[in-house]
Each structure stands twice: as structure tokens, then as C-alpha cells.
Amino acid sequence: FGSMQNVNKVSDVVVFGGTHGNELSGICLVKKWLSGPPLQSATCKVTATLCNPEAIRLCRRYKDCDINRQFTRVDINKVTNAEENLPYEVKRAKELFSQYSDYSGERIILDLHNTTANVKLCLIVEKPTDYFALHMCRYIQQHFSADFCHILLQGKSYGDVRYIAKHGIGIEVGPQPHGVLRADIFDLQEKAVKLSLAFLDKFNNGDIFNPCEIVTYTQFKKVDFPRDHEGNIAGMIHLDLQDRDWQSVSGSSMVFRTFQGDNVTLEDVVKIPDEIKDLVYPVFVNEASYYEKDLAFWLTKKATVALPILKLNVLH
Ligand SMILES: CC(=O)N[C@@H](CC(=O)O)C(=O)O
Ligand SMILES: [Zn+2]
């Protein structure tokens, strides 16, 4: 959509639970909506669906590979159908892509995740220019107390399921161990989904969302654990950092403690450019599924983003 930020009426919402098969709150919410009264909106069609059924059956993040790294708009359809040897998640990604990408109206994807990190409610948007998604995030954020809900921008595309549609947000809620369901986390995620639909109804009914400024955190650097010469982990998240997602860090912050008991500071492991040194915030601290990605936590850069007015394009 153009610089006026006029978007057509949103006619379709797809809510994915179980993109990762051991993140139980999204899975159980979708199962609840599939078996009980369905999730509904007054103004658009809502489909709740399980993204990775085989991983859900196994209660693992994935069967063969992480499905949330397989969707890139250009590549997914190039994968040829030498079907036999394709990893399960690549096949499933192709299937979801062909099922949901070809849509003439405005479609929104909500992608439900859990993390073992203490992020509370984290809304993930790909681009700082997706003003529609960011207005939706701001609407959701305003229904929580200050500092409870943060907006995370993906510095780089990584092929998550939200790429199927023009607009999407990841609704990441934690802390919750993988394979475990907590009532507080379940309720929080449900509230965020309901608020997303409430926003879409307001938008579809012609409400105007005024220009405003929002605070965002953009992922810019992955930090790995300390390792020995064989590549094995040789330290753990420092207690000063554990559970402190969204709390600013500086070069002298302790981030790891080696098994020998030595403290490791942020500047021991990363060079932070001077011009952003007061803007650095960690997130996904000690996320269990990121150990295999050599990732102990993400560093993000805090920034204010100005959102232009958002209103329904009544001409369409
Ligand atoms: C803990 C976890 O799975 N986080 C998600 C974040 C996202 O959806 O962008 C992922 O790595 O795919
Ligand atoms: Zn996930």
C-alpha cells in the first residue's frame, strides 16, 4: 500500500498455532477454537489452524527442520516436487504457501509462539514500514501496563510463516517451558489474539488510527554462548541477565558465567558501536530452542518509529 497508508477492508485472518510443535499455548488455543465455539470477528472471516501437525504430534519444535525458517516468498515455490526426499517441514510450508498465499483481498496472519525467555508479550513484525501491523501492535500494547508488551522488529527476513500474507504479526508469549502449558500464558495469548481481532473490526468499521510514535526494538546481533575448543558450551547466562529481557545492557554488563565461575561481560563477546551504546536491549535470553542455533540471546536496538495515519480505503 502507498504512502497514505490506506488499506482495503481486511476480509480474512489466519491464526496459526503450533508453528513449533512444543509451544503449547498457541496449540491449545487453536484446538479450543476448532472444537468449541470458533474464534470469530464481526467483520472478517477467521480461520484458526495448526501449522505443523507432525511436530505437534511429536511435541517437538519440528520433525525435520524449523518450519519458521522455510518461507521466503521467492524460494518456496521454486522447491521442486522431487517430493520423496523433501524434509517434512518444507513440504508443509509449500502446502501452506499454496493454500494461503494466493488471495486477492487483504489477509492478516497471526502466528502464535511461546518462549522460555521472560519476554512477557512480544509482538513481532518484519518491517518498520509495515505501518498496518505496527498500528495493530500499538492498539494491543495500549491494553497492557507499561513495559509489559514490546514490539520487536526482525532486522532481517528469516522465512517465518507470516511471509505468506502481506501483513502479519508473531504473538510471542513467555516464559513458558516448551511442552508445558501455563494458565497465565494461555490467557495472555488469548487476550492478544482477541485484541488483534478487535483492532481489525475497528479498522474495518472505519475507525481512524491517528499518527503516533511507537517504541520498537530491532534485532541486530546474535550472541552465542562461550564455548571450549571442541565447540561445547562452556558457560551459562549470567544471573544478572537471566529473566532480564528488555532491560538495557552496556559493555560492562555481565552476560555469561563460565563453568569455572568467571564472569563474562558483553564487551568481552561483542563490539557495540559507540553511537548505539545506550540503545542496546537483550531479548530471547536463554530461549531453549535457540541452543541448537548457537544463540544465547539476541541484542536489539531501541528506536522510535513514527506511524502515519491509518484508515480504511473507502474507495475499494
Ligand atoms: C522461540 C521462537 O520460536 N521464536 C520465534 C520467533 C518468530 O516467530 O519470529 C522463532 O524463532 O521462529
Ligand atoms: Zn516458536
Side-chain angles (χ1 to χ4, degrees):
F1 52 95
S3 58
M4 296 295 289
Q5 301 311 323
N6 290 359
V7 181
N8 297 333
K9 188 171 183 289
V10 174
S11 46
D12 192 273
V13 184
V14 182
V15 183
F16 285 115
T19 300
H20 296 128
N22 54 7
E23 297 177 6
L24 293 195
S25 73
I27 295 166
C28 294
L29 280 168
V30 167
K31 284 184 174 170
K32 164 181 144 162
W33 295 321
L34 288 173
S35 64
L39 180 67
Q40 276 175 324
S41 126
T43 61
C44 45
K45 176 169 175 259
V46 181
T47 308
T49 190
L50 296 170
C51 183
N52 189 340
E54 192 56 18
I56 294 167
R57 194 181 64 78
L58 297 166
C59 195
R60 293 209 319 243
R61 184 171 176 87
Y62 53 79
K63 177 173 177 280
D64 297 329
C65 59
D66 191 339
I67 200 170
N68 229 25
R69 300 294 180 275
Q70 308 307 321
F71 296 89
T72 52
R73 273 188 227 278
V74 264
D75 292 341
I76 191 77
N77 271 336
K78 279 199 230 139
V79 180
T80 53
N81 287 14
E83 299 282 352
E84 291 306 280
N85 299 321
L86 281 185
Y88 169 76
E89 277 79 10
V90 176
K91 283 191 224 166
R92 180 65 180 146
K94 274 173 68 74
E95 191 174 281
L96 290 169
F97 193 86
S98 56
Q99 200 173 345
Y100 291 109
S101 69
D102 186 17
Y103 184 69
S104 54
E106 295 274 1
R107 165 175 281 153
I108 309 292
I109 288 180
L110 306 178
D111 178 26
L112 310 186
H113 289 263
N114 294 121
T115 170
T116 60
N118 186 28
V119 302
K120 312 288 195 244
L121 177 56
C122 169
L123 304 174
I124 307 175
V125 172
E126 185 192 351
K127 292 192 185 74
T129 50
D130 188 352
Y131 299 127
F132 184 83
L134 291 174
H135 265 290
M136 180 152 76
C137 291
R138 174 183 149 92
Y139 177 83
I140 297 167
Q141 192 176 45
Q142 284 173 329
H143 290 78
F144 293 94
S145 52
D147 284 334
F148 191 82
C149 174
H150 290 82
I151 301 169
L152 183 67
L153 294 172
Q154 300 167 238
K156 260 204 233 125
S157 302
Y158 43 66
D160 60 76
V161 68
R162 281 97 64 187
Y163 293 1
I164 296 178
K166 203 174 352 162
H167 307 289
I169 65 171
I171 300 179
E172 181 82 66
V173 187
Q176 179 173 268
H178 297 318
V180 169
L181 191 58
R182 290 177 53 126
D184 54 350
I185 299 294
F186 180 96
D187 290 348
L188 179 52
Q189 195 158 45
E190 183 167 38
K191 182 174 169 182
V193 170
K194 295 275 171 73
L195 285 168
S196 307
L197 297 182
F199 169 85
L200 295 174
D201 283 340
K202 282 180 182 296
F203 172 77
N204 282 342
N205 284 326
D207 278 26
I208 290 171
F209 297 88
N210 285 318
C212 58
E213 288 196 332
I214 59 164
V215 175
T216 63
Y217 298 80
T218 302
Q219 293 174 309
F220 73 91
K221 177 79 187 159
K222 292 176 178 176
V223 182
D224 189 15
F225 288 95
R227 292 182 184 272
D228 65 19
H229 11 264
E230 286 176 347
N232 299 312
I233 279 181
M236 48 206 149
I237 297 288
H238 197 282
L239 283 178
D240 284 4
L241 183 63
Q242 180 62 49
D243 302 325
R244 305 263 172 88
D245 300 71
W246 312 116
Q247 295 187 31
S248 82
V249 284
S250 68
S252 60
S253 301
M254 320 262 217
V255 293
F256 297 112
R257 202 186 75 207
T258 67
F259 298 162
Q260 278 66 38
D262 298 321
N263 294 326
V264 178
T265 63
L266 187 60
E267 66 196 353
D268 290 334
V269 289
V270 200
K271 172 94 187 86
I272 306 290
D274 232 27
E275 60 280 13
I276 66 164
K277 69 174 176 25
D278 298 326
L279 304 170
V280 180
Y281 291 74
V283 71
F284 289 119
V285 175
N286 223 352
E287 157 55 32
S289 66
Y290 289 172
Y291 278 65
E292 66 174 27
K293 299 187 195 293
D294 298 342
L295 173 50
F297 57 91
W298 269 105
L299 289 178
T300 71
K301 179 180 174 267
K302 185 179 182 176
T304 300
V305 172
L307 301 185
I309 188 170
L310 175 75
K311 62 182 177 184
L312 182 64
N313 184 354
V314 291
L315 295 175
H316 287 82

